[in-house]
């Protein structure tokens, strides 16, 4: 393109900024947003002052390598995300000047996978130059991540006219597991909300939806084999997920390159299971009599394992991801201790009074069942804390305080590890709280290089006690994005002050894209605000 | 109505409850909602086991006394709020059984006022019995409050069938000023959001919208006389309120019986005013030279008062309420101290080095200006704390910590007082925080009966640093309702444990009515959840 044109355009953009900036001093807005900067920050990123214009009626994505439904759907989606709804799609403009960009060539080397998986290749290279805009990736997953980055570089200048600077990006994730947990047991979340959240996740390059689908409070998973579990254990018939809805969520996530890892937490956190499955939960005793309360799953009964085998055989089929999260957290031993049948079972097994051994026995049998249906598993840290022996390829999720010591311990035992302790978004507080999440570093523990390699990522968690359809999106975003950057970008990208203007832009971009992403940097405004239907 | 029918219906309703309740134990939901209980609690409330059915196609409100646009619009509004959209409005059902309710007779004694005002009569009596349903009130404002109560007593049983128990309510507010503050300067709020908030307010019987419309950060008020104030002081042209929009908000509030009290805070909190009004703000000095910073309004210049007179003459016309809030909080004296012209002015006026006297001088002249346009005023507590003499009918708003001593002091000086210190909703924290707001008692200070009488109410505040269109409704509701009850109901209605199930119902009712009112009691669900458009 002609250099003069590029220069003219750059000045034009700067003029727009100054127009707002002249009455936007330090005293009025806390953080001034960047313009056209990506979030999370790519591993290598540089831009030039060359500015390319894009007429939205004349731009298209083009697959120059492998393609498939995932890529085609991304092309379709991002046309709208970047350019909005066009009156005429791909109207032909025969006389476009030099200095314009009319396509992004997306060159995927390998045949598409059907589902995203742990360890998938998400790397990509993106070049925007006078010679054209090219996105290269080995896999379709890398293409998805690269198209998102491209979309964040493009700025709207007028109704039809957009612009993008000359840019070179070499990018890949720092961690292979970048998850977000939602809890649909404490409060039910509509399918529309879960899908909205998945779309938001993809725009921060998250790749795992950890679906804490059931818990003590309710059991919204509709089982094919045990339909009474949701009928009796769900809050009511309007607060359950049908098999069709679950398939819809998995498919939506797949298209976005997001794995769905369901969690069926046991032996604790399973009160809702007991509403329908007879004798599954331990009867708690007061003295010599059952007191009407129930504890964790009864590990002394063969029937429990019979049920679990049948149940997880189904789960293995319903959820395509290789991993299922088996929970294992916060098992209270009091009820087990009160139950005479369990006391007898402990004696028979020579467990003495060590109830952790009983838990290990349960967990071991559960893991064998799940291995038997050819699934890998994730567990919360307590399983390892209680010295239960688990398979070497188990993924242990660290969630309690004092995570540094725990990360040392779990990795010294040779387990793959995920960190979530410092990323509990549900614990809100007044003001700008995101730097707290941003400062958390998964490698911040004592351990060998070998141990550090076992850290495969982390998860940010929005537990459901105080969020539901009304506020889960606004409370999660853009705070979760902060974690996404620490999990994707280089370890050195950790300066909150430097990140704030980019985060501000990211929030406003999310709002422009329709998400009610809340204010996190204090007073200010977005060029386009969130609006509700009148 | 026939007793047998009533009994049958009551059992039917109880059956529905037990149907949900059988798998809804203590361990699943934190608080079980009441059914058909009002919020805030009326002064006197009793219900019978007589149950009346209402067919939504055959029910109407009927004005049997005075009527006007306010009442007619309430009738129209509540048909939809209670019954939803009907396929055929007022379809004729000739053979309704005894035991049904076909109308609410609303008997307003006095001619309607055009605008709500401080001290308006909001009392009403409501009787639902076999002889009919009658709402009596002196004023249309009482009728509005009573219709809201009626709407909260009605429960939906099936598509067309609703029910209400026999009920007697004698009701009036404990305090005459029950306000909610929104701040549209730190973040702009859309007109649709402000109207949604006003509608929510009316459903908790709030009667004052304290509109903190401008502040340092931005000046979204479009002035007729000084159009540059929003042009230069607003965030941008999309973040301002036109005169038409302001009129729309005032009219919407009027129809709901809500006063709109705008706040134009000065001499501090006025950085955005200075963007357009030359020489209004004090020039701050470093040594002998202006340093480019600006302080509060310059009280030493006659031009400041000339501007204020013209500005508040306009405000007096635009906002119909008798009161305007003049702010007066957090005036920083440092800039005044640095400015040599002000030093000279202090000398000339014999103020010595007492800058509180300078503030008093400013405030006194401002109050005279505002009195001159026949308005009453509200101010923040600092004006009195700094010993400025104000007119006896000034309303002082206590907002700082240690409010008990301040309430004692302000009332001992004979001023009418509002409390807001303990009701700052913007300060969020994790978990069930509403009992903290619920426990605050405006009479909880040392003072005579005479002093207590000067407490005319309070305000709950949602300052705008961290809320905007994305989250202001969910974060405000139903937490604000908690304050509404303390301001409306009897002083003895203060037990949070007793209130929780009613608050749970109130939240779910708000959701059913379309507000994204967030979860405040921990795990649980509403029969109908909030949903977003797909």
């Amino acid at each position: 393109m002609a250099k003069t044109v590029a220069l003219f355009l750059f000045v034009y953009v700067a003029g727009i900024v100054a127009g707002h900036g002249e009455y936007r001093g330090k005293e009025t807005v806390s953080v001034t947003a960047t313009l056209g900067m990506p979030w999370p920050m790519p591993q290598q990123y540089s831009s030039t002052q060359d500015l390319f214009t894009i007429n939205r009626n004349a731009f298209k994505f083009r697959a120059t390598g492998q393609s498939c439904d995932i890529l085609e759907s991304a092309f379709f989606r991002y046309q709208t995300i970047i350019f909005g709804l066009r009156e005429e799609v791909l109207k032909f403009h025969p006389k476009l000047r030099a200095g314009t960009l009319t396509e992004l060539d997306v060159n995927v080397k390998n045949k598409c996978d059907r589902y995203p998986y742990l360890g998938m290749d998400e790397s990509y290279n993106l070049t925007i130059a006078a010679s054209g805009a090219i996105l290269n990736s080995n896999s379709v997953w890398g293409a998805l991540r690269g198209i998102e980055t491209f979309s964040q570089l493009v700025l709207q200048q007028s109704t039809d006219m957009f612009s993008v600077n000359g840019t070179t990006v070499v990018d890949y994730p720092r961690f292979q597991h970048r998850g977000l947990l939602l809890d649909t047991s404490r409060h039910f979340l509509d399918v529309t909300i879960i899908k909205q959240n998945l779309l938001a996740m993809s725009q921060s390059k998250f790749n795992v939806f950890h679906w804490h689908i059931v818990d003590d409070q309710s059991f919204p998973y509709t089982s094919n084999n045990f339909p009474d579990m949701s009928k009796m254990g769900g809050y009511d018939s309007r607060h359950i997920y049908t098999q069709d809805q679950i398939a819809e969520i998995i498919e939506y996530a797949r298209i976005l390159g997001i794995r769905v890892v369901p969690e069926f937490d046991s032996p604790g956190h399973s009160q809702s299971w007991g509403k329908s499955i007879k004798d599954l939960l331990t009867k708690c005793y007061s003295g010599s009599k059952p007191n009407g309360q129930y504890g964790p799953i009864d590990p002394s009964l063969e029937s429990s394992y019979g049920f679990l085998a049948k149940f997880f055989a189904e789960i293995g089929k319903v959820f395509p991801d290789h991993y299922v999260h088996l929970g294992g957290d916060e098992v209270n031993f009091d009820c087990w201790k009160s139950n005479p049948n369990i006391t007898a079972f402990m004696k028979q097994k020579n467990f003495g009074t060590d109830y952790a051994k009983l838990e290990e026995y349960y967990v071991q049998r559960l893991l064998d069942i799940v291995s038997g249906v050819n699934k890998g598993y994730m567990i919360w840290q307590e399983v390892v804390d209680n010295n239960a022996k688990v398979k070497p390829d188990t993924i242990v999720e660290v969630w309690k305080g004092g995570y540094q010591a725990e990360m040392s311990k779990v990795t010294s035992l040779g387990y793959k590890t995920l960190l979530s302790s410092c990323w509990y978004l549900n614990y809100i507080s007044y003001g700008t709280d995101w730097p707290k999440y941003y400062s958390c570093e998964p490698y911040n523990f004592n351990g060998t290089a070998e141990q550090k390699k076992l850290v495969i990522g982390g998860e940010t968690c929005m537990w459901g006690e105080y969020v539901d359809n009304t506020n889960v999106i606004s409370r999660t975003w853009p705070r979760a994005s902060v974690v996404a950057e620490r999990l994707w970008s280089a370890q050195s990208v950790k300066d909150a002050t430097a990140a704030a203007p980019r985060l501000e832009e990211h929030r406003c971009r999310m709002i422009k894209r329709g998400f009610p992403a809340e204010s996190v940097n204090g007073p200010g405004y977005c060029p386009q605000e969130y609006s509700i239907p009148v």
Side-chain angles (χ1 to χ4, degrees), chain A:
Chain A
M1 66 182 288
K3 200 74 184 168
T4 46
V5 175
L7 209 61
F8 164 75
L9 286 164
F10 184 78
V11 170
Y12 171 63
V13 176
I16 293 176
V17 183
H20 293 184
E22 68 186 359
Y23 50 90
R24 192 168 90 177
K26 246 188 198 163
E27 77 280 10
T28 57
V29 293
S30 309
V31 172
T32 301
T34 50
L35 284 171
M37 289 290 284
W39 187 283
M41 182 58 92
Q43 299 288 340
Q44 295 175 34
Y45 165 79
S46 62
S47 68
T48 69
Q49 301 218 341
D50 290 339
L51 197 80
F52 302 89
T53 55
I54 305 175
N55 184 309
R56 67 171 169 185
N57 299 311
F59 179 87
K60 65 175 189 295
F61 293 98
R62 192 159 69 96
T64 56
Q66 298 285 341
S67 190
C68 58
D69 57 350
I70 297 171
L71 196 59
E72 280 155 25
S73 122
F75 288 175
F76 183 80
R77 185 168 68 251
Y78 280 97
Q79 285 280 7
T80 307
I81 286 176
I82 302 174
F83 302 114
L85 295 172
R86 296 179 298 183
E87 283 174 22
E88 291 176 61
V89 175
L90 295 177
K91 193 163 65 179
F92 185 60
H93 281 243
K95 287 185 180 176
L96 289 167
R97 294 177 308 189
T100 61
L101 198 65
T102 55
E103 67 181 50
L104 175 67
D105 290 348
V106 179
N107 186 29
V108 176
K109 195 172 155 194
N110 301 324
K111 217 163 149 263
C112 295
D113 307 302
R114 173 125 188 103
Y115 286 102
Y117 55 92
L118 177 66
M120 61 185 157
D121 185 343
E122 295 173 282
S123 67
Y124 68 93
N125 295 340
L126 173 65
T127 312
I128 301 165
S131 53
I134 300 170
L135 171 62
N136 281 303
S137 69
N138 293 319
S139 76
V140 71
W141 315 120
L144 288 184
R145 306 305 171 233
I147 295 171
E148 175 59 38
T149 301
F150 174 77
S151 77
Q152 298 185 357
L153 305 176
V154 176
L155 292 175
Q156 185 158 13
Q157 302 297 357
S158 63
T159 307
D160 282 336
M161 204 54 85
F162 293 70
S163 70
V164 62
N165 278 75
T167 307
T168 308
V169 172
V170 177
D171 205 11
Y172 50 87
R174 181 180 168 211
F175 292 109
Q176 57 189 229
H177 184 121
R178 304 179 307 282
L180 184 150
L181 177 150
L182 290 184
D183 165 7
T184 56
S185 173
R186 274 63 177 247
H187 282 99
F188 184 79
L189 298 173
D190 278 359
V191 172
T192 50
I193 294 280
I194 292 176
K195 287 166 73 175
Q196 192 181 27
N197 195 69
L198 286 165
L199 190 59
M201 284 172 65
S202 75
Q203 297 179 6
S204 282
K205 298 189 170 67
F206 277 108
N207 67 358
V208 181
F209 171 37
H210 177 163
W211 191 356
H212 189 88
I213 187 167
V214 300
D215 206 295
D216 284 335
Q217 283 79 4
S218 74
F219 196 98
Y221 172 78
T222 301
S223 166
N224 290 320
N225 291 330
F226 303 97
D228 279 352
M229 291 186 83
S230 55
K231 223 175 262 171
M232 311 285 285
Y235 279 138
D236 72 12
S237 61
R238 283 168 294 193
H239 294 82
I240 59 171
Y241 302 102
T242 64
Q243 284 289 330
D244 280 353
Q245 289 174 321
I246 291 163
E248 182 184 344
I249 286 167
I250 292 168
E251 173 62 11
Y252 194 79
R254 179 182 77 84
I255 288 290
L256 299 171
I258 296 172
R259 301 163 51 205
V260 177
V261 174
E263 178 178 354
F264 290 90
D265 195 349
S266 77
H269 288 276
S270 55
Q271 292 289 311
S272 65
W273 309 34
K275 305 283 183 189
S276 57
I277 308 300
K278 205 171 164 322
D279 296 331
L280 182 67
L281 302 184
T282 306
K283 285 190 178 70
C284 312
Y285 279 65
S286 294
S288 63
K289 285 190 176 162
N291 62 15
Q293 302 287 306
Y294 293 89
I297 288 179
D298 190 331
S300 72
L301 298 178
E302 265 321 291
S303 58
S304 296
Y305 304 105
F307 160 77
L308 291 167
K310 204 169 166 195
F311 182 73
F312 279 102
E314 172 183 328
I315 296 308
K317 277 184 213 138
V318 169
F319 293 92
D321 199 79
H322 181 60
Y323 287 87
V324 59
H325 201 300
L326 300 175
D329 57 317
E330 301 183 306
V331 180
N332 187 326
F333 294 155
D334 293 343
C335 184
W336 280 351
K337 285 179 188 169
S338 77
N339 183 304
N341 301 326
I342 288 188
T343 309
F345 185 75
M346 295 279 288
K347 192 171 281 177
Q348 180 202 322
K349 292 283 179 187
N350 287 320
F351 290 162
T353 54
D354 186 354
Y355 284 84
K357 283 199 175 133
L358 181 61
E359 182 184 358
E360 182 186 346
Y361 173 83
Y362 171 84
V363 169
Q364 202 56 60
R365 293 206 51 181
L366 174 62
L367 299 189
D368 288 346
I369 285 166
V370 174
S371 301
V373 300
N374 203 25
K375 286 278 173 179
Y377 35 78
M378 292 167 57
I379 48 170
W380 297 109
Q381 69 177 71
E382 284 97 321
V383 177
V384 170
D385 292 350
N386 290 336
N387 298 316
K389 234 183 136 59
V390 294
K391 287 207 312 182
D393 64 342
T394 302
I395 298 175
V396 179
E397 185 158 9
V398 173
W399 71 277
K400 291 187 167 189
Y403 72 86
Q404 293 89 345
E406 183 75 10
M407 298 285 283
S408 287
K409 176 180 151 184
V410 172
T411 54
S412 75
L413 293 170
Y415 298 119
K416 286 185 179 165
T417 310
L418 291 173
L419 177 62
S420 64
S421 306
C422 44
W423 289 325
Y424 271 39
L425 297 177
N426 51 309
Y427 292 127
I428 54 171
S429 56
Y430 181 69
T432 298
D433 71 344
W434 65 265
K436 180 176 71 186
Y437 300 108
Y438 198 65
S439 69
C440 179
E441 170 52 53
Y443 286 149
N444 183 19
F445 65 90
N446 289 327
T448 62
E450 227 27 44
Q451 280 175 269
K452 301 280 163 104
K453 261 192 217 157
L454 288 166
V455 179
I456 59 166
E459 297 196 333
T460 184
C461 303
M462 180 51 88
W463 293 98
E465 282 83 353
Y466 292 93
V467 291
D468 62 8
N469 292 347
T470 64
N471 61 351
V472 69
I473 300 294
S474 64
R475 199 173 274 192
T476 302
W477 302 99
R479 292 162 73 232
S481 305
V482 165
V483 181
E485 177 150 297
R486 294 312 312 274
L487 291 171
W488 177 281
S489 305
Q491 189 173 354
S492 59
V493 178
K494 60 178 184 181
D495 178 345
T497 309
R502 244 183 337 107
L503 183 61
E504 187 70 11
E505 179 180 15
H506 189 58
R507 164 175 119 91
C508 290
R509 184 164 48 219
M510 290 190 77
I511 285 177
K512 193 177 178 196
R513 294 178 178 190
F515 302 96
E518 70 181 21
S519 162
V520 291
N521 284 322
Y525 68 99
C526 292
Q528 184 178 326
E529 301 287 1
Y530 183 72
S531 64
I532 55 164
V534 185

